[in-house]
Amino acid sequence: MTVRIDDLDRKILVQLQQDAGQSLDDIARNVGSSKTPVWNRIRKMREAGVIRQQTCLLDPEALGFEACFFVLIRTSEHDADWQARFLESLKKRPEVQEAHRLAGDIDYILKVRVANARAYDVFYQALISEVKIHNVTALLSMEEIKSTVMLPL
Amino acid sequence: MTVRIDDLDRKILVQLQQDAGQSLDDIARNVGSSKTPVWNRIRKMREAGVIRQQTCLLDPEALGFEACFFVLIRTSEHDADWQARFLESLKKRPEVQEAHRLAGDIDYILKVRVANARAYDVFYQALISEVKIHNVTALLSMEEIKSTVMLPL
DNA sequence: TATGAAAGTTTTAAATA
DNA sequence: TATTTAAAACTTTCATA
């Protein structure tokens, strides 16, 4: 499950994060190596799960997703059964792009991407009807200043 | 700048989000079309900016990024100059994966990915020394329940 | 939209340091 | 053990029907 990542691996990952569409030849040139070693390392890191999905990032606004909310959730329920049902609800809703369980006073944070405020309300009503939640605060994004999935390697 | 996206375009985008590594032939088969129209539509959507970066998603933990914080920021400064400097600070720091300007009581939210709590503190000290910030609350993620970049097409 | 051919890329295997 | 070379299989790209 675990792999040791050396300097060359790291350089390859930087390239793949930046542009997964470039050819092996280009990657090899950019990292100062050649095709086969780069290919073998990529395969190994894929198998080890270091490299997960290869994807295209899309423009949310161009596709009609004009609202993004961060949702802070406090709950009074902390038993295993409640938690399992809550997590299931989140996982099955595609508008929930991120969900984290937190340390401290606020229990969960969600990032929710929807068409507009009305669509958020539909999501919110559905969520609270499914599981009991003590307190919810929704923070509406006015402007996406920065958004990247790149890890700072 | 704007494009009309039809049903076939949408299906192609779903495929590209799920797996940008598959061949044109596979995409064409999966969406019930053939190579040439699929290829032309992808090219158009790339040119229009609907399809942005092609990237590989990496496993943060495997690469030593063990801490993720959501940072809620309140400021007392609202003039253009302060804001410009603040945005620059955020954009140039690679550990800031997301930054949004919010409506309401909290002014900004950040998602910050670092090796550990100590690395977060280094980031935090650097940030507050660069720009004046009224109030900061850091929420530490204990568990990433869900994390996707896919839009719910 | 379909076909097909040229150019380019990935993948495997064998040979080499 | 990792890298280079080389060649087969596959993919993309684009002109033409």
Side-chain angles (χ1 to χ4, degrees):
Chain A
M1 196 71 211
T2 182
V3 249
R4 272 183 49 275
I5 300 285
D6 69 11
D7 227 59
L8 181 55
D9 291 323
R10 221 170 281 274
K11 283 188 196 160
I12 294 168
L13 293 175
V14 169
Q15 291 298 318
L16 288 175
Q17 284 197 116
Q18 252 165 43
D19 179 4
Q22 65 189 315
S23 74
L24 267 185
D25 272 331
D26 289 342
I27 296 171
R29 189 156 15 78
N30 290 333
V31 303
S33 179
S34 60
K35 238 164 39 169
T36 315
V38 170
W39 191 77
N40 283 316
R41 281 153 184 268
I42 290 175
R43 194 172 43 71
K44 250 175 230 151
M45 291 193 282
R46 247 203 276 270
E47 277 163 15
V50 175
I51 299 172
R52 291 163 160 175
Q53 202 188 359
Q54 188 175 154
T55 190
C56 282
L57 303 179
L58 309 180
D59 179 345
E61 314 258 304
L63 294 160
F65 295 92
E66 308 222 319
C68 178
F69 288 84
F70 288 88
V71 184
L72 309 179
I73 294 176
R74 259 176 274 242
T75 173
S76 39
E77 314 280 314
H78 290 277
D79 62 283
D81 179 61
W82 179 90
Q83 194 175 338
R85 279 188 304 125
F86 180 58
L87 299 199
E88 265 327 293
S89 294
L90 298 177
K91 281 189 187 150
K92 77 173 187 229
R93 296 192 178 279
E95 57 272 63
V96 178
Q97 290 196 308
E98 301 227 7
H100 293 248
R101 184 167 60 78
L102 301 175
D105 173 44
I106 296 164
D107 297 302
Y108 297 92
I109 189 168
L110 315 180
K111 182 183 170 191
V112 179
R113 183 76 81 176
V114 284
N116 49 43
R118 177 156 300 167
Y120 172 74
D121 195 49
V122 171
F123 160 79
Y124 169 77
Q125 296 294 341
L127 184 69
I128 61 170
S129 79
E130 242 173 90
V131 287
K132 192 182 155 200
I133 291 172
H134 174 247
N135 178 273
V136 177
T137 307
L139 310 174
L140 169 60
S141 171
M142 289 282 98
E143 184 188 357
E144 202 168 289
I145 295 163
K146 180 171 183 176
S147 175
T148 180
V149 293
M150 297 199 357
L151 297 175
L153 298 168
Chain B
M1 195 76 208
T2 181
V3 250
R4 273 186 45 278
I5 299 286
D6 69 11
D7 227 59
L8 180 55
D9 290 323
R10 222 170 280 276
K11 283 188 197 161
I12 293 168
L13 293 175
V14 169
Q15 290 299 317
L16 289 176
Q17 285 197 113
Q18 253 165 43
D19 179 4
Q22 64 190 314
S23 73
L24 264 187
D25 273 330
D26 289 342
I27 297 172
R29 189 156 15 78
N30 289 334
V31 303
S33 178
S34 60
K35 237 169 37 168
T36 314
V38 170
W39 191 75
N40 283 316
R41 281 153 184 267
I42 290 175
R43 195 173 42 73
K44 248 176 233 149
M45 290 193 284
R46 248 203 273 270
E47 276 163 16
V50 175
I51 299 172
R52 290 162 161 176
Q53 199 188 2
Q54 189 174 153
T55 188
C56 283
L57 304 178
L58 309 180
D59 179 345
E61 315 257 305
L63 294 160
F65 294 92
E66 307 222 320
C68 178
F69 288 85
F70 288 88
V71 183
L72 308 179
I73 294 175
R74 260 176 274 243
T75 174
S76 38
E77 313 281 312
H78 290 277
D79 61 284
D81 180 61
W82 179 91
Q83 194 176 336
R85 278 188 303 126
F86 180 58
L87 300 198
E88 266 325 294
S89 294
L90 298 177
K91 282 188 186 151
K92 78 174 184 224
R93 296 193 177 277
E95 57 272 63
V96 177
Q97 290 196 306
E98 301 225 8
H100 293 249
R101 186 167 57 78
L102 301 174
D105 173 43
I106 295 165
D107 296 302
Y108 296 92
I109 188 168
L110 315 181
K111 182 182 170 194
V112 178
R113 183 77 81 176
V114 283
N116 49 43
R118 176 156 302 166
Y120 172 74
D121 195 50
V122 171
F123 160 79
Y124 168 77
Q125 297 294 341
L127 185 69
I128 61 171
S129 80
E130 240 172 274
V131 288
K132 190 183 156 199
I133 291 173
H134 174 246
N135 177 273
V136 177
T137 307
L139 309 174
L140 170 60
S141 171
M142 289 281 99
E143 185 188 357
E144 201 168 292
I145 296 163
K146 181 171 182 174
S147 175
T148 179
V149 293
M150 299 199 359
L151 297 174
L153 300 167

